[in-house]
Amino acid sequence: MRSPIASTRFSFLDRSRTREGHDGPQALRDTVALAREVESLGYHRFWVSEHHSVPGVAGSAPTVLAAAVAAATSAIRVGTGGVMLPNHRPLVVAEQFGVLASLFPGRIDMGLGRSVGFTDGVRRALGHGKEDAEDFPGRLAELLGWIDGTQQAHPQVHARPAEGLRIPAYVLAIGEGAAVAAAAGLPLVIGDLRGREKVLRAIEVYRRDFRPSARAERPEVIVSGTVAVAGSAEAARRLLVPEAWAMAYARTHGSFPPLAPAEEIERRTMTAKERELYERGLDGHVHGTEEQVTEQLERAIEETGADEVLVTTSTYDREALVDSLRRLAGIAGLRR
C-alpha cells in the first residue's frame, strides 16, 4: 500500500524566534536564510507569522518579511501564517498583497488569522479590541471583495494593484474558525497536531459545511504542528526542549524569553509548576527517528485527511533544525 505521505505536500512556517545571543534583527536574517534552505530541500511553501510586542518573536510585519523571503528565493511559494486581519484595515492588506503578488507572480499566499494583540496594552496600541476578532467573517469578506473587485461599501475606491489578481487565500483556524473557512469557501489551516481530537472535530465541521467558491471547488486542509527528526529519539526530543521551556516560562512569568540551548535548559532548577508545564510542552509532538516519524505522520495524515503538513518547529540549534528538515524531506520524497 502506498504511504499517504507520498501524496501530501510539506511546507514550513517560521516564527522568527529570537535566540540567546542572537537579537531580533538576526532572527529576521535567520528566517530569510532558512527560507533558502527550505526551498533547496523541495518544500512547497514558506510562511512567516505576525506577533506584536512579544519579546521572543521578531516577526511583527509579515508582509514585509514575506517580500524579503520571496526576493531571496526563486521558486518556493511564500506567504503569511498569518496576517491577523482584526489588526488591519482590509483595504491596506489587499494593497500589500497586491504589491507582493505583482512583484512575485504565482508565488504569494495570503494566510489570514483572527487573533488580536496578546495583551490589552498591545491591543490599545494597535487601536483594536477583542470585539474586532468577532467581525472576522465580515473583514474577510471585505478583503476578498477588494481583490475580486466586488466590494460595494466604498464606491469608486479600488485596491490597486491587487484588484483582479489571483491571490490564494487561506484561513488560519482553531475551533470556530473552521466554520468561517467553510462559509467563505477557502482552504483551512489548522493545528496543532497534538490536540488531535479538537482538530478532527473542526475538520469535520469544515468539510461538512464547505461551500465551493471561485477560490476553491473542494475542501482543502493544511494541518500544522511541530515535527522533529533526528538520528535518535533522544536527539529529536532535544530539538523540542527550547520551545517547551519558553512556553513554560511564558505561562509562569508572562513573557516569552529568547530560545536557549537545550543543554542549558536541562541543567536548570525549575519550580513544580514550571516543570509541569515544561514536561507537558514536550508531549505529543511528531518526533523521533525517520522510522518513528514516518509512522506518526502516516497516522496523522490518515486521521485528518490532510492535503498538506505545515511544519512549525522552533528550536535554538539551527543546524539541527535544518538537519531535521532534510531528514523530513527524505521521508516525504521531496524534489524541487
Side-chain angles (χ1 to χ4, degrees):
M1 180 183 293
R2 189 171 184 234
S3 169
I5 295 174
S7 58
T8 304
R9 298 186 300 268
F10 283 79
S11 300
F12 191 80
L13 165 67
D14 192 45
R15 294 191 176 90
S16 302
R17 295 285 275 109
T18 60
R19 298 177 291 152
E20 288 187 0
H22 305 264
D23 60 11
Q26 183 61 54
L28 296 175
R29 292 190 290 270
D30 287 345
T31 291
V32 175
L34 183 61
R36 295 193 192 99
E37 295 276 5
V38 170
E39 178 177 59
S40 71
L41 293 171
Y43 284 81
H44 183 61
R45 58 180 114 239
F46 187 96
W47 280 7
V48 295
S49 62
E50 175 182 339
H51 297 274
H52 298 283
S53 191
V54 179
V57 183
S60 56
T63 54
V64 177
L65 184 53
V69 168
T73 54
S74 61
I76 194 169
R77 298 196 64 85
V78 177
T80 55
V83 165
M84 296 302 146
L85 199 49
N87 294 336
H88 310 281
R89 295 299 304 173
L91 170 62
V92 175
V93 175
E95 291 172 335
Q96 290 173 346
F97 277 96
V99 171
L100 284 169
S102 298
L103 293 173
F104 309 101
R107 295 181 56 206
I108 298 301
D109 298 325
M110 184 170 62
L112 306 162
R114 68 185 294 272
S115 296
V116 291
F118 188 60
T119 65
D120 287 339
V122 173
R123 289 190 286 272
R124 285 194 297 270
L126 290 169
H128 298 282
K130 292 182 178 179
E131 67 279 0
D132 291 298
E134 302 307 314
D135 190 35
F136 180 60
R139 286 173 177 261
L140 176 62
E142 181 184 341
L143 170 59
L144 298 179
W146 285 116
I147 295 171
D148 297 340
T150 58
Q151 73 82 27
Q152 301 295 322
H154 305 278
Q156 300 181 343
V157 181
H158 300 271
R160 296 190 172 99
E163 188 174 299
L165 295 181
R166 186 165 183 80
I167 306 172
Y170 301 79
V171 173
L172 280 63
I174 297 177
E176 66 272 14
V180 176
L186 294 177
L188 173 71
V189 184
I190 189 164
D192 64 19
L193 288 169
R194 292 193 298 170
R196 195 70 55 82
E197 289 186 9
K198 183 177 181 180
V199 166
L200 291 176
R201 287 196 300 271
I203 290 174
E204 181 181 5
V205 168
Y206 169 69
R207 289 202 173 103
R208 182 194 68 202
D209 297 340
F210 182 83
R211 299 177 185 173
S213 70
R215 292 176 173 273
E217 295 180 355
R218 65 171 187 84
E220 179 180 343
V221 174
I222 301 174
V223 295
S224 65
T226 295
V227 180
V229 196
S232 67
E234 179 57 30
R237 183 181 182 276
R238 287 171 67 81
L239 280 167
L240 308 177
V241 165
E243 185 71 13
W245 167 246
M247 293 297 293
Y249 185 93
R251 288 170 180 166
T252 50
H253 294 77
S255 65
F256 284 90
L259 297 176
E263 58 272 18
E264 176 185 318
I265 293 167
E266 290 170 338
R267 291 195 300 264
R268 289 184 178 174
T269 301
M270 301 181 191
T271 66
K273 186 62 175 178
E274 287 173 342
R275 175 64 64 179
E276 176 192 352
L277 292 169
Y278 168 68
E279 295 292 345
R280 192 185 305 167
L282 292 171
D283 288 341
H285 297 291
V286 174
H287 75 286
T289 63
E290 279 97 329
E291 182 179 353
Q292 292 169 327
V293 168
T294 296
E295 181 181 342
Q296 294 169 48
L297 280 175
E298 285 179 342
R299 184 166 61 251
I301 293 168
E302 287 172 350
E303 289 179 355
T304 61
D307 300 283
E308 183 173 335
V309 174
L310 180 65
V311 179
T312 61
T313 311
S314 296
T315 195
Y316 177 87
D317 188 338
R318 300 295 275 197
E319 290 185 7
L321 175 59
V322 171
D323 179 67
S324 174
L325 290 169
R326 186 176 296 112
R327 291 172 184 268
L328 178 58
I331 291 170
L334 303 185
R335 295 290 185 273
R336 173 58 62 192

